[in-house]
Amino acid sequence: MADDSVIDSGEVAATISDARLDSVFNTAVDGIIVINAKCQILAFNKACEKLFGYSATDLLGENVNRIMPSDYAHHHDSYVQNYLDTGHKKIIGIGREVKGQHKDGTVFPLELSVGEAATSEGRQFIGILRDLRPRKQIEERLSKAQSQLLHMTRLSALDEMGAAIAHELNQPLTAILLYLQSVSRKATADERLTPVMLDVISKAVKEAERASEIIQRMRQLVERKDPERKEVDVDELVATCLEMADLGAIDEPSIMVAKVDKNLPPLMADPVQIRQILINLLRNAREAVAGQAQRKVTLAVCLGADVLEFRVQDNGPGVSQEVADSLFRAFSGAKHKGVGLGLAISRSIAQNHGGDLRLEQSAPGAGASFLLTLPVKIEETGTE
């Protein structure tokens, strides 16, 4: 009886120990898998089931290469056999990054740690697996955020440099303009000069005035000022935007066309911010059609129900649905020729004005069309 009592106590202790081990095994956050020297799966915990999409009963007794992509699976058995033959450790006791394959075929990164145990049934290997996808996603987002921060830092530096250059250029341009105006007045009074010479001098004065206006507009774009809303003439706004969007393309004919309806009401907006939106859209469109045999960018303006509609269209390759879904999200990493992160800022400006900016649906290969809507100035009417 005493011996039976001891045996019973030992069996109970073993049962409790097994239960504890089973509880730890199946409640562990990380995947735990046990294989033998033949690479057969002996244990496969709940975390592994969630990780790979298989139930333990699907894989027990199967080769562990079932959960590996083909390039890993092809060599795995030979790696294990090489260790059994030589005792040379390449992964045991050392954590490393590997690839796993889900039941649906998805390949994903894993951190793998392998330990070894000598049992009555022979050598066994215990692998602890951790899904690296969440960490990879965080690292990718951090990398994009850092890249964007660096990009914004460069833009900030360019803003300051642009304002300084505009300021410095404005002084010699003003001097040139004054000199030319003085020459023009004296030339007009000198009867010896031919009309051709007078015309050349007059054109020089106009070009100097135009250069001065461009510099002033550039200063307005790069200077950090609080929004100043005022009445904006639409025709003048469109002409200015087309002129500035064409800067840098002086060696080729303009591909930009304006279509502005007649008798449009004025806007009540910050002209600098609205120019920023339209110039961004126009320059994006110009870049988008760079590879086309026939290039065309159109800025059309018409009156909607209670808003002015500014539509920038191009005949480029258009915007794919994948890019369109995240086009206006900051830090989205969306890549598309001619489309920059300025779109998120542009939409914010439009919405701050009580309007909106969106990508219109278009047929595949029909180019892109961006619609900027802004409220018109409401005329106040008195009552008698």
Side-chain angles (χ1 to χ4, degrees):
M1 286 294 292
D3 290 341
D4 291 341
S5 174
V6 171
I7 293 172
D8 290 342
S9 298
E11 289 177 349
V12 170
T15 301
I16 293 172
S17 178
D18 289 344
R20 287 174 179 169
L21 180 61
D22 185 65
S23 176
V24 171
F25 184 73
N26 282 308
T27 58
V29 175
D30 293 332
I32 302 175
I33 185 170
V34 181
I35 65 172
N36 60 18
K38 296 180 180 179
C39 300
Q40 294 172 313
I41 297 175
L42 304 178
F44 197 76
N45 75 341
K46 296 292 184 183
C48 273
E49 290 183 337
K50 183 178 179 181
L51 196 59
F52 293 98
Y54 292 99
S55 67
T57 54
D58 291 334
L59 295 179
L60 292 179
E62 296 289 327
N63 194 300
V64 72
N65 62 20
R66 284 277 303 276
I67 57 172
M68 300 178 186
S70 58
D71 52 338
Y72 280 79
H74 182 69
H75 299 289
H76 182 261
D77 287 4
S78 62
Y79 290 155
V80 174
Q81 189 60 48
N82 180 68
Y83 169 67
L84 294 173
D85 293 340
T86 66
H88 179 60
K89 297 180 180 180
K90 291 186 178 181
I91 187 172
I92 294 176
I94 303 171
R96 64 183 294 183
E97 183 175 331
V98 296
K99 298 287 186 181
Q101 182 167 299
H102 192 273
K103 185 177 181 180
D104 64 8
T106 302
V107 176
F108 58 96
L110 291 165
E111 183 179 6
L112 171 65
S113 299
V114 179
E116 182 183 8
T119 72
S120 58
E121 298 176 356
R123 288 185 180 180
Q124 294 182 0
F125 302 96
I126 301 93
I128 299 176
L129 303 163
R130 177 169 295 175
D131 190 351
L132 289 181
R133 282 174 293 188
R135 192 179 83 184
K136 294 285 186 181
Q137 291 169 357
I138 292 171
E139 289 174 351
E140 184 178 358
R141 286 198 297 268
L142 179 61
S143 177
K144 288 179 180 178
Q146 289 174 334
S147 177
Q148 179 63 10
L149 179 61
L150 180 61
H151 176 65
M152 296 304 293
T153 302
R154 288 199 300 266
L155 286 181
S156 178
L158 285 173
D159 279 353
E160 294 177 5
M161 186 173 65
I165 291 173
H167 175 74
E168 294 299 326
L169 285 178
N170 192 54
Q171 293 181 359
L173 271 175
T174 300
I176 291 170
L177 182 58
L178 291 173
Y179 291 145
L180 285 173
Q181 288 173 342
S182 177
V183 170
S184 179
R185 286 194 297 271
K186 292 183 179 180
T188 303
D190 191 340
E191 298 178 354
R192 292 173 298 176
L193 293 178
T194 64
V196 174
M197 291 298 295
L198 294 174
D199 184 55
V200 169
I201 293 172
S202 176
K203 288 180 178 179
V205 171
K206 290 179 180 178
E207 289 301 312
E209 291 174 343
R210 177 173 173 271
S212 181
E213 290 174 1
I214 291 173
I215 291 296
Q216 290 297 328
R217 291 167 188 161
M218 287 181 64
R219 288 185 65 180
Q220 289 177 337
L221 280 175
V222 298
E223 286 178 349
R224 294 179 177 86
K225 292 183 177 179
D226 293 331
E228 182 182 345
R229 300 192 184 191
K230 59 184 179 180
E231 189 174 296
V232 180
D233 180 82
V234 176
D235 290 309
E236 182 181 346
L237 174 69
V238 169
T240 300
C241 291
L242 289 178
E243 183 180 33
M244 296 195 72
D246 258 335
L247 291 177
I250 56 176
D251 295 333
E252 57 184 27
S254 177
I255 59 173
M256 298 187 185
V257 179
K259 294 181 179 179
V260 184
D261 286 358
K262 301 293 184 181
N263 302 318
L264 292 175
L267 284 172
M268 200 65 186
D270 185 315
V272 174
Q273 290 190 345
I274 302 306
R275 279 203 296 266
Q276 179 182 345
I277 297 175
L278 292 174
I279 291 169
N280 182 46
L281 293 175
L282 289 167
R283 292 182 72 87
N284 287 346
R286 191 179 73 182
E287 292 178 15
V289 301
Q292 303 297 110
Q294 298 293 326
R295 297 172 296 158
K296 185 177 181 181
V297 176
T298 304
L299 171 55
V301 189
C302 64
L303 182 62
D306 55 356
V307 294
L308 276 179
E309 298 181 350
F310 295 78
R311 187 172 279 101
V312 177
Q313 297 174 295
D314 65 64
N315 66 335
V319 181
S320 68
Q321 187 59 48
E322 179 184 0
V323 173
D325 290 340
S326 58
L327 198 58
F328 294 96
R329 288 204 303 265
F331 309 114
S332 66
K335 299 290 184 183
H336 177 72
K337 188 173 182 181
V339 175
L341 289 172
L343 287 174
I345 298 171
S346 295
R347 171 175 273 183
S348 296
I349 293 173
Q351 292 176 345
N352 189 46
H353 277 77
D356 200 6
L357 174 63
R358 63 182 176 85
L359 174 69
E360 294 188 299
Q361 292 290 339
S362 57
S369 177
F370 287 87
L371 177 63
L372 168 66
T373 56
L374 294 168
V376 296
K377 180 182 178 182
I378 301 174
E379 297 292 342
E380 295 183 358
T381 58
T383 57
E384 295 183 1

